[in-house]
């Protein structure tokens, strides 16, 4: 069972692949960063099960290291997008002004940060392209980094912990198979769809 899923995420290089994918998907939301995180967590669960049975598995990711790797890459990606948008100037402002979705997101984010609440930042991390919109809008609106980055860190840690937990416990309950990986991915995409719905329905004031 471990060979079918775990061998794809074996070896220390998986941390670099996960980090690069999570870092870049703030600019390219189509990158399968969630898929990679869940697959690596499934491999970790398979490896721990093999070790408990007295077999020596391939080198597999460590759960805590995987969470920290994905969360750190998430925050760094947010910071890069934030800084680029901060320096984007009038061109980026005009692009946001032409998009009702981006304009609304910028207004809601600004109000949320001004009230000292960043639940919108955390929620948007799970929504499709939500992370990109929030990071770019925060930078374009010149929101203070100390208001944005702590919520970005909480969002990244929440997303990474949830994704790793799905892969790890899915493999524990269903076995390290493609079925457990598929179920875990369905739960991740379901959370993203729910987050997207809540972000759209969230009142602006």
């Amino acid at each position: 069972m471990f060979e079918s899923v775990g061998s794809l995420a074996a070896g220390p290089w998986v941390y670099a692949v996960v980090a690069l994918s999570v870092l870049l998907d703030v600019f390219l939301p189509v990158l399968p960063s969630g898929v990679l995180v869940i697959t690596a967590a499934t491999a970790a669960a398979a490896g721990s099960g093999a070790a408990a049975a007295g077999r020596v598995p391939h080198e597999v990711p460590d759960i805590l290291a995987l969470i920290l790797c994905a969360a750190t890459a998430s925050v760094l990606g947010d910071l890069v997008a934030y800084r680029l948008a901060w320096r984007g100037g009038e061109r980026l402002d005009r692009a946001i002004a032409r998009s009702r979705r981006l304009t609304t997101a910028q207004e809601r984010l600004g109000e949320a940060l001004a009230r000292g609440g960043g639940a919108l930042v955390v929620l948007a991390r799970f929504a499709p392209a939500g992370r990109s919109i929030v990071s770019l809008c925060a930078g374009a609106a010149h929101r203070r980094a100390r208001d944005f980055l702590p919520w970005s860190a909480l969002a990244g840690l929440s997303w990474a912990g949830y994704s790793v937990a799905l892969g790890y416990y899915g493999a524990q309950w269903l076995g390290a198979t493609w079925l457990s990986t598929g179920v875990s991915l369905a739960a991740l995409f379901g959370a993203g769809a729910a987050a997207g719905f809540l972000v759209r329905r969230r009142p602006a004031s």
Side-chain angles (χ1 to χ4, degrees):
M1 294 297 184
F2 177 70
E3 291 293 333
S4 63
V5 175
S7 60
L8 298 180
W13 56 267
V14 71
Y15 297 112
V17 173
V18 166
L20 185 62
S21 177
V22 174
L23 179 68
L24 293 179
D25 78 0
V26 70
F27 303 105
L28 299 170
V30 296
L31 287 178
S33 58
V35 176
L36 292 176
V37 173
I38 285 178
T39 302
T42 301
S48 64
R55 301 190 301 273
V56 179
H58 293 284
E59 186 175 0
V60 295
D62 177 80
I63 289 297
L64 181 58
L66 185 60
I67 292 174
L68 293 177
C69 174
T72 301
S74 180
V75 176
L76 289 177
D78 290 354
L79 180 59
V80 171
Y82 168 86
R83 293 303 301 174
L84 288 176
W86 183 290
R87 299 176 180 177
E90 295 182 358
R91 180 179 299 181
L92 182 60
D93 291 338
R94 289 195 298 269
I96 292 177
R98 287 195 298 267
S99 171
R100 182 178 179 181
R101 182 183 181 188
L102 291 176
T103 301
T104 301
Q106 188 179 62
E107 292 173 352
R108 291 178 178 176
L109 176 64
E111 292 169 359
L113 294 178
R115 293 194 302 266
L120 182 65
V121 178
V122 178
L123 191 63
R125 181 62 183 87
F126 290 82
R131 173 193 179 200
S132 304
I133 293 173
V134 164
S135 299
L136 292 172
C137 286
H142 290 187
R143 301 297 171 185
R144 295 179 301 179
R146 66 183 183 184
D147 290 334
F148 171 68
L149 288 182
W151 291 106
S152 170
L154 179 59
L157 186 60
S158 300
W159 175 84
Y162 178 71
S163 301
V164 169
L166 285 179
Y168 186 83
Y169 289 109
Q172 292 284 352
W173 295 331
L174 299 177
T177 64
W178 291 114
L179 173 62
S180 67
T181 303
V183 170
S184 298
L185 288 174
L188 181 64
F189 294 147
F197 175 79
L198 292 174
V199 167
R200 289 192 298 270
R201 292 295 298 271
R202 188 181 179 90
S205 60

